[in-house]
Amino acid sequence: MSENNPVHDVITIGAGPTALSAAIYTTREDLDTVLLEKGVIGGLASITDWVDNYPGFPDGVAGLELGERLQKQAERFGAKIELAEVTGIHPKKGLVEVETTDGIKRAKTVLIATGSDYKRLGITGEDEYYARGVHFCATCDGAFYRDKKLVVVGGGNSAAQEAVFLTRYATHIDMLVRGPKMRASEVLQNEVKKHAGKITVHYNTSTDEIVGQEGKVVSVKSTHNNKSVNFPTDGVFVFIGLKPNTGFLAGSGIELDEIGLIKTDTKLQTNLPGVFCAGDVRSGATMQIASAAGEGATAALLMREYIDHLARTPQVHT
Amino acid sequence: MSENNPVHDVITIGAGPTALSAAIYTTREDLDTVLLEKGVIGGLASITDWVDNYPGFPDGVAGLELGERLQKQAERFGAKIELAEVTGIHPKKGLVEVETTDGIKRAKTVLIATGSDYKRLGITGEDEYYARGVHFCATCDGAFYRDKKLVVVGGGNSAAQEAVFLTRYATHIDMLVRGPKMRASEVLQNEVKKHAGKITVHYNTSTDEIVGQEGKVVSVKSTHNNKSVNFPTDGVFVFIGLKPNTGFLAGSGIELDEIGLIKTDTKLQTNLPGVFCAGDVRSGATMQIASAAGEGATAALLMREYIDHLARTPQVHT
């Protein structure tokens, strides 16, 4: 690592709503801020078809547009977005070193805002038919299934909520729930019941294979009470949870909770000095853009405090 | 109290960005939601001239417009806003009773989202010249002082930040700091120093009286080292902190922190069952609209969880 590497005030890992909101605040306070993104600027928001509940947009807003608006706002105040993948972070000499595919970068504070991805089943056909019959986001891809049959996999809140949502398009939905009951809230389970004319729930049913013909999904193979059951369908939506994007933290010593989300204190600090975390990858996250953006703003103020404190504290190692 | 009073799912006390964001979420999930407001719908946001850092508005948005957009979005999903002042809350028989000027109302959950107001000096002339020479919000009223002289009272973060902001209008600013130094962060103090050509800081200086002539502010009387000092000025901006709106909670037994903000656990619950708190009146709040709206959204999900739990739990008292 070159010692004349510039020291940034703030590096965010990720450039979704959390990081962009944080950057709006940090750059507006003249903190030198770099956002590192390996995928899509705007994060999951940008690949969401329509966002109805982000506060401030009475008629909703296209996810892509919201992502672009956040980016434009952060860049207006001076945020720099770089395309690079982060491979590790190490607190060192009162700073934080960030290993990236573009070399080592240094900052006074790092905000981990990498979010979470949708969990996959890991079964045959899932990758092969990804986005061509196998989907993870109802608002993104539901409209392709107008007057078609669907299979929904999962029994949690998002499975119940999205199954109900998909009834606006699909003629019928087979909902495959692995266990003997749904984990979804009663409110949502009642919603599913209200749509019993369109949604048939199958309990104790595993999802084994997605079967296609001539490049199209035609059925889902499943097992119910040790018997194989086949569900003919035009498409499959999988809602079995989220996978926190924390792979790059292996060996960093950062503390995770039981489902792999990053633990923070009430000041959004991880156990690594100078390393903050907010949004969908943080333990306790709600997986809502509003909450993520709000946490980004809060994190920005707390990072500013931390940097002010650094400035007042003599650094023994530097 | 009439027992055939309807039981709402959610009552919010206040209808600012926090409550409106919460209501967008709760009503979208079909929870019966009533917002009680005694003042301005949209809260402090609506009386703020221009909001530059609410994420999603690249060029900023007028505070009044943002408030109206939030209101429209919440009402679109079915939120009911009622003008009433809350005078007390009491958990009772597994519900929460809310005493208002419009009678007693009942709900499964209550969200306290009353925010905070600007603190006043309590000196002669302050009320008399309110909004006609005495101001508490630089972004709201600063533009009236183009090419004029100003006095800024306070030495904290907001005083420092707003004094710097006001240099874009004023020809000169006398900043009156009661103590021997500022409480503002070093970053902000350095900002003030950068503007030394326009801002003169006076330490150990109390602010005693706002003096007017013919309906206009003409000077501020102050004391420095036991000597009276007069600062001729066209206007006064007071930035000495915020006053949490918690008067109606006297006798409720709700726990407050050392500066009078409401304490919550990590689930945004107060010590009173069924009573949640979010936004600028909550201990740890950042006084930012983005954070407030984000907390509102988070609170909505947590109240939904609480209501689901109530539904599954037999109520002994009802």
Side-chain angles (χ1 to χ4, degrees):
Chain A
M1 190 204 71
S2 157
E3 283 297 315
N4 45 30
N5 221 348
V7 175
H8 303 289
D9 291 313
V10 176
I11 288 176
T12 75
I13 308 179
T18 307
L20 290 168
S21 292
I24 290 166
Y25 277 80
T26 55
T27 52
R28 208 160 165 265
E29 299 205 334
D30 285 342
L31 296 178
D32 169 42
T33 304
V34 174
L35 295 80
L36 303 177
E37 176 59 58
K38 69 167 181 172
V40 179
I41 295 164
L44 276 188
S46 284
I47 58 167
T48 300
D49 182 42
W50 193 254
V51 179
D52 230 9
N53 52 11
Y54 184 75
F57 295 88
D59 304 313
V61 57
L64 188 61
E65 187 191 336
L66 181 57
E68 285 171 351
R69 292 172 74 106
L70 293 169
Q71 178 180 353
K72 198 173 156 200
Q73 194 172 1
E75 287 180 337
R76 174 182 153 216
F77 295 121
K80 287 161 282 185
I81 303 178
E82 295 179 8
L83 290 178
E85 182 168 353
V86 173
T87 53
I89 58 172
H90 313 283
K92 193 170 172 182
K93 299 182 182 175
L95 299 173
V96 187
E97 280 187 16
V98 180
E99 281 173 28
T100 82
T101 48
D102 188 35
I104 286 176
K105 298 176 189 294
R106 300 188 299 162
K108 293 174 186 167
T109 58
V110 164
L111 178 66
I112 302 175
T114 45
S116 294
D117 281 328
Y118 294 109
K119 246 185 210 171
R120 299 196 173 196
L121 291 159
I123 61 174
T124 302
E126 190 181 33
D127 286 349
E128 189 181 348
Y129 294 101
Y130 176 72
R132 297 180 304 133
V134 178
H135 307 273
F136 297 84
C137 172
T139 47
C140 311
D141 303 319
F144 299 128
Y145 293 90
R146 216 173 281 279
D147 303 324
K148 306 258 179 178
K149 279 172 68 72
L150 283 178
V151 165
V152 162
V153 180
N157 283 336
S158 62
Q161 194 169 350
E162 303 297 40
V164 169
F165 173 81
L166 288 167
T167 60
R168 71 174 73 181
Y169 305 116
T171 53
H172 185 262
I173 294 169
D174 285 301
M175 189 169 175
L176 312 189
V177 179
R178 198 172 43 182
K181 58 179 185 177
M182 284 193 214
R183 283 171 297 107
S185 72
E186 291 208 3
V187 172
L188 287 172
Q189 291 194 39
N190 287 337
E191 278 300 298
V192 171
K193 280 176 198 153
K194 282 187 205 163
H195 292 81
K198 278 200 167 183
I199 305 176
T200 308
V201 185
H202 306 269
Y203 295 101
N204 295 310
T205 301
S206 67
T207 306
D208 306 335
E209 187 184 336
I210 291 159
V211 182
Q213 255 175 22
E214 297 166 5
K216 280 184 176 175
V217 167
V218 294
S219 70
V220 172
K221 275 191 189 167
S222 70
T223 309
H224 174 74
N225 291 342
N226 295 320
K227 276 182 216 158
S228 183
V229 186
N230 203 46
F231 293 99
T233 190
D234 298 302
V236 184
F237 281 80
V238 180
F239 305 115
I240 54 170
L242 289 144
K243 191 172 68 69
N245 290 318
T246 54
F248 67 100
L249 292 167
S252 68
I254 207 157
E255 277 179 32
L256 306 177
D257 71 8
E258 64 282 358
I259 53 172
L261 293 159
I262 296 168
K263 283 192 188 177
T264 59
D265 62 15
T266 55
K267 298 233 166 215
L268 301 180
Q269 282 191 277
T270 71
N271 62 313
L272 303 183
V275 180
F276 293 72
C277 178
D280 288 355
V281 76
R282 193 180 74 80
S283 184
T286 60
M287 313 296 177
Q288 298 298 318
I289 301 172
S291 305
E295 273 193 16
T298 302
L301 303 194
L302 296 168
M303 289 189 288
R304 219 273 310 274
E305 259 181 32
Y306 180 91
I307 290 170
D308 288 357
H309 182 76
L310 270 190
R312 288 192 301 270
T313 312
Q315 293 303 307
V316 179
H317 300 291
T318 48
Chain B
M1 192 204 72
S2 158
E3 284 297 314
N4 44 30
N5 221 346
V7 175
H8 304 289
D9 292 313
V10 176
I11 288 177
T12 75
I13 307 179
T18 308
L20 290 168
S21 291
I24 290 166
Y25 276 81
T26 56
T27 52
R28 206 157 167 267
E29 298 205 337
D30 285 342
L31 297 178
D32 169 41
T33 304
V34 174
L35 296 80
L36 303 176
E37 176 59 59
K38 68 167 180 173
V40 179
I41 295 164
L44 275 190
S46 285
I47 59 167
T48 300
D49 182 44
W50 193 254
V51 179
D52 229 9
N53 52 11
Y54 183 75
F57 295 88
D59 305 312
V61 58
L64 188 61
E65 187 191 334
L66 180 57
E68 284 172 352
R69 292 172 74 106
L70 293 169
Q71 177 180 355
K72 197 173 156 201
Q73 194 172 0
E75 286 180 339
R76 174 182 154 217
F77 295 121
K80 286 161 283 184
I81 303 177
E82 296 179 8
L83 289 177
E85 182 169 354
V86 173
T87 52
I89 59 172
H90 313 283
K92 192 170 173 182
K93 298 183 183 175
L95 299 173
V96 186
E97 280 187 16
V98 180
E99 281 174 26
T100 81
T101 48
D102 188 35
I104 287 176
K105 299 177 187 293
R106 300 188 301 162
K108 294 174 186 167
T109 59
V110 164
L111 178 66
I112 302 175
T114 45
S116 294
D117 281 328
Y118 295 109
K119 247 185 209 171
R120 298 195 175 197
L121 291 160
I123 61 173
T124 303
E126 189 180 32
D127 286 350
E128 189 182 347
Y129 293 101
Y130 176 72
R132 298 180 303 131
V134 178
H135 307 272
F136 298 83
C137 172
T139 48
C140 311
D141 303 318
F144 299 128
Y145 293 90
R146 215 174 282 280
D147 303 324
K148 306 258 180 180
K149 278 171 70 71
L150 284 177
V151 165
V152 162
V153 181
N157 284 335
S158 62
Q161 195 170 349
E162 303 296 41
V164 169
F165 173 80
L166 288 167
T167 59
R168 70 174 73 182
Y169 305 116
T171 51
H172 184 261
I173 294 169
D174 285 302
M175 189 169 176
L176 312 190
V177 180
R178 198 173 44 184
K181 56 180 185 175
M182 285 194 215
R183 282 171 297 107
S185 71
E186 291 208 4
V187 171
L188 287 172
Q189 291 194 40
N190 287 336
E191 278 301 298
V192 172
K193 280 177 199 152
K194 281 187 205 161
H195 292 80
K198 278 200 166 184
I199 305 175
T200 308
V201 184
H202 306 269
Y203 295 102
N204 294 309
T205 302
S206 67
T207 306
D208 306 334
E209 187 184 335
I210 291 159
V211 182
Q213 255 175 22
E214 296 167 7
K216 280 185 176 176
V217 167
V218 294
S219 68
V220 173
K221 274 192 191 167
S222 69
T223 309
H224 174 75
N225 290 343
N226 294 320
K227 277 182 214 156
S228 182
V229 186
N230 203 46
F231 293 98
T233 189
D234 298 300
V236 183
F237 281 79
V238 179
F239 306 115
I240 54 169
L242 289 144
K243 192 171 68 70
N245 290 317
T246 54
F248 67 100
L249 293 167
S252 68
I254 207 157
E255 277 179 30
L256 305 177
D257 72 8
E258 63 283 357
I259 53 171
L261 293 159
I262 296 169
K263 283 190 187 178
T264 60
D265 62 15
T266 56
K267 298 232 165 215
L268 301 180
Q269 282 191 278
T270 70
N271 61 314
L272 303 183
V275 180
F276 293 71
C277 178
D280 288 354
V281 76
R282 192 179 76 79
S283 183
T286 59
M287 313 296 176
Q288 298 298 318
I289 300 172
S291 305
E295 273 192 17
T298 302
L301 302 193
L302 296 168
M303 288 190 287
R304 219 274 311 274
E305 258 181 34
Y306 180 92
I307 289 169
D308 287 357
H309 182 78
L310 269 191
R312 288 191 301 270
T313 312
Q315 293 302 307
V316 179
H317 301 289
T318 48

